[in-house]
Amino acid sequence: MNSKCTAVIFFICCSTVLFSQSSNRLSKPSSASSFFLRSVRGFHGKYDWKIKKRTDVKQDGAAISTDQFNDAGWQKAIVPGTVLNTLVSNGIYPEPYFGDNNRKSRALIPDLADAGNSFYHYWFKTSFIIPSNFKGKRTWLKLHGINYRCEIWLNGHNLGTMAGMFNSQAFDISAVANLQGKNTLAISVQPVDIPGTNSKPKTDRPGAIGENRNGGDGEIGKNVSMLMSVGWDFTAPDGIRDRNTGIWKDVEIYATGDVVLEHPFVQTKLAPADTSHAAETVSVEISNESNSIQTGTLSGFIKEANALFAQKITLQPWEKRRVVFGPELFKQLNLKNPKLWWPVNKGRQYLYSLSLKFISGKGEVSHTVTDKFGIREISSDQNTPDSSRRFYVNGYPIFIRGTNWVPEAMLRNTETRTLAELRYTRQAGIN
């Protein structure tokens, strides 16, 4: 399977524990002050999303993203979700995976390759109120995942564009957000540039390298999008008609100060043949999102180890850098007798809680990020009679029982479904 389609699961139990102990969302909140714009339809959320085909709307984003815009005639939408999710939900097209409704020869659902890019190019819009506790803070809009290209408008202002199915991006909306009333968001989402077809692949083709039977003719591989949507063994015989165009992951609104933290990471180093000591290296990306110098303290805390560490930080205007806390300078990151993470049936999947925060010189917390991590070290070698690869976890050889993770073809993902899939995978003996 191609990496754009599936992931090989070696240690599924870690995901299971992380999921069950998190905030029970597929998308992790970016801040303590955060909310997701999930639709009423499909998710029982709080927000009324609507869609309409771009070619059927005469106004531009500046007009659509205002409270005065009349959206009568727009369809109620599912977000997160694709265009086809909504059209099927509204009865425009039949359920593709009932009987042979999806077979291309039946022509029940127009295919992107035949209908053209504009056919599944849609506007998505909704409105929201910003909580009062966001006042005085920097406010962000984050798209956790769209497919494939989009332009974003808020309250009549163009926030920018983004592209790529596996990209996520945050936009600073502090200057255009309305803290006193309704905010109107409009996102124009268009499909992949090259939809590909489900025709038999050519012998010598310029598309997805190494894919000779899956991914249709391979042309969609020129985009950063999942090959499965043009046709795979489990999306056979004819793929996903809109190529999963839409807002397929969460839309988030959150607040921070001027200094923002991202991508916390913990790396474990265990002594050879000795698991009584663990050296932890903690890193995080820090950025100054203002035009003034920011000085303060970046501190971290590992709750279960009672390990507190900190250092003074000065950031120039708009500066972004990676800060690393190593066990050489911060002795508290050398943990004695740590509780280790082990694969299924080999021990507990024990997790530690990490929090990182930046406190300004005025004593105000600008941003806090949290994460959970397991203390473990994974390695492998090929010192076997047939040079096959074997894996070690915490210095002990482990026989890997893995599988491929296959997403729901139209990306109709929910927390309930994902948790059930993780539970079934563990019950199947995957470690």
Side-chain angles (χ1 to χ4, degrees):
M1 293 277 185
N2 188 279
S3 60
K4 292 182 180 179
C5 169
T6 59
V8 176
I9 299 178
F10 287 144
F11 306 104
I12 187 68
C13 188
C14 180
S15 299
T16 306
V17 178
L18 279 170
F19 187 83
S20 64
Q21 292 185 0
S22 71
S23 58
N24 290 328
R25 283 204 178 276
L26 292 176
S27 300
K28 183 181 178 181
S30 302
S31 169
S33 301
S34 164
F35 61 97
F36 292 93
L37 303 182
R38 289 204 164 180
S39 62
V40 174
R41 175 163 292 192
F43 286 96
H44 305 292
K46 299 179 180 179
Y47 302 93
D48 291 309
W49 281 89
K50 294 184 177 182
I51 67 168
K52 192 161 188 177
K53 186 181 293 188
R54 172 109 184 201
T55 54
D56 292 340
V57 182
K58 296 180 180 179
Q59 297 90 332
D60 61 10
I64 298 171
S65 63
T66 62
D67 193 29
Q68 293 75 37
F69 179 76
N70 183 2
D71 60 12
W74 287 49
Q75 298 184 53
K76 290 186 177 296
I78 297 174
V79 175
T82 65
V83 171
L84 191 54
N85 289 168
T86 290
L87 298 180
V88 169
S89 175
N90 290 335
I92 306 300
Y93 299 119
E95 167 57 48
Y97 299 106
F98 180 83
D100 62 353
N101 285 344
N102 197 52
R103 191 171 292 278
K104 192 173 182 180
S105 60
R106 295 199 64 191
L108 296 179
I109 308 173
D111 188 82
L112 179 62
D114 302 324
N117 186 283
S118 63
F119 190 85
Y120 288 109
H121 187 174
Y122 272 72
W123 278 105
F124 288 72
K125 71 179 296 288
T126 191
S127 60
F128 59 91
I129 302 294
I130 295 177
S132 58
N133 65 339
F134 278 43
K135 186 177 181 180
K137 299 179 180 179
R138 194 168 291 275
T139 306
W140 301 86
L141 163 72
K142 183 174 183 178
L143 300 183
H144 285 258
I146 60 96
N147 191 30
Y148 183 71
R149 298 187 183 277
C150 74
E151 58 180 65
I152 308 106
W153 294 79
L154 180 68
N155 298 336
H157 298 272
N158 187 347
L159 299 181
T161 62
M162 62 181 287
M165 187 174 193
F166 308 114
N167 183 28
S168 63
Q169 192 168 336
F171 299 84
D172 187 347
I173 62 172
S174 305
V176 299
N178 180 10
L179 298 179
Q180 305 299 323
K182 185 182 294 184
N183 293 269
T184 302
L185 173 65
I187 305 173
S188 171
V189 185
Q190 65 185 76
V192 290
D193 306 321
I194 307 171
T197 68
N198 202 253
S199 61
K200 292 183 179 180
K202 295 172 287 186
T203 303
D204 181 20
R205 67 187 193 189
I209 298 174
E211 291 300 334
N212 297 316
R213 286 185 287 182
N214 280 322
D217 61 4
E219 291 295 290
I220 196 176
K222 294 178 179 178
N223 298 133
V224 185
S225 186
M226 55 173 61
L227 297 178
M228 68 161 226
S229 63
V230 78
W232 213 271
D233 44 16
F234 60 91
T235 55
D238 298 310
I240 293 91
R241 293 283 160 258
D242 70 340
R243 305 297 188 266
N244 281 320
T245 301
I247 304 174
W248 73 286
K249 282 190 173 182
D250 275 305
V251 179
E252 181 187 14
I253 307 295
Y254 65 97
T256 69
D258 287 333
V259 176
V260 178
L261 305 176
E262 289 185 295
H263 310 305
F265 184 73
V266 182
Q267 182 181 26
T268 292
K269 183 64 179 176
L270 297 173
D274 181 9
T275 59
S276 64
H277 171 268
E280 306 300 313
T281 300
V282 179
S283 64
V284 66
E285 293 179 11
I286 184 170
S287 60
N288 179 4
E289 300 295 335
S290 73
N291 57 6
S292 60
I293 296 175
Q294 299 290 329
T295 300
T297 301
L298 175 62
S299 66
F301 183 61
I302 301 175
K303 179 181 178 182
E304 292 77 7
N306 196 31
L308 177 65
F309 47 96
Q311 64 174 288
K312 297 288 186 182
I313 298 288
T314 297
L315 295 168
Q316 299 301 313
W318 312 112
E319 181 184 359
K320 181 175 183 176
R321 70 174 186 258
R322 182 169 173 263
V323 177
V324 178
F325 297 91
E328 300 83 9
L329 294 178
F330 298 90
K331 302 302 181 182
Q332 54 272 52
L333 294 177
N334 292 284
L335 308 185
K336 294 181 179 180
N337 300 315
K339 295 181 179 180
L340 302 180
W341 182 99
W342 294 96
V344 171
N345 300 325
K346 296 298 181 181
R348 281 190 62 191
Q349 293 77 49
Y350 193 86
L351 296 178
Y352 285 75
S353 305
L354 169 70
S355 64
L356 292 159
K357 62 183 176 182
F358 183 84
I359 303 175
S360 70
K362 298 179 181 179
E364 299 174 347
V365 177
S366 180
H367 192 199
T368 299
V369 292
T370 61
D371 210 349
K372 286 185 177 292
F373 67 96
I375 295 181
R376 65 183 185 183
E377 188 171 58
I378 301 171
S379 60
S380 69
D381 64 32
Q382 291 179 275
N383 298 326
T384 56
D386 60 354
S387 297
S388 59
R389 186 168 296 279
R390 61 180 176 181
F391 289 83
Y392 299 84
V393 178
N394 304 331
Y396 289 84
I398 298 292
F399 181 78
I400 297 298
R401 295 185 299 276
T403 185
N404 285 318
W405 184 272
V406 177
E408 200 278 340
M410 290 168 60
L411 306 182
R412 292 175 287 195
N413 300 316
T414 64
E415 283 75 14
T416 300
R417 179 189 177 111
T418 302
L419 187 57
E421 288 171 338
L422 290 168
R423 187 169 60 249
Y424 297 154
T425 304
R426 178 170 181 167
Q427 290 170 352
I430 305 303
N431 64 357

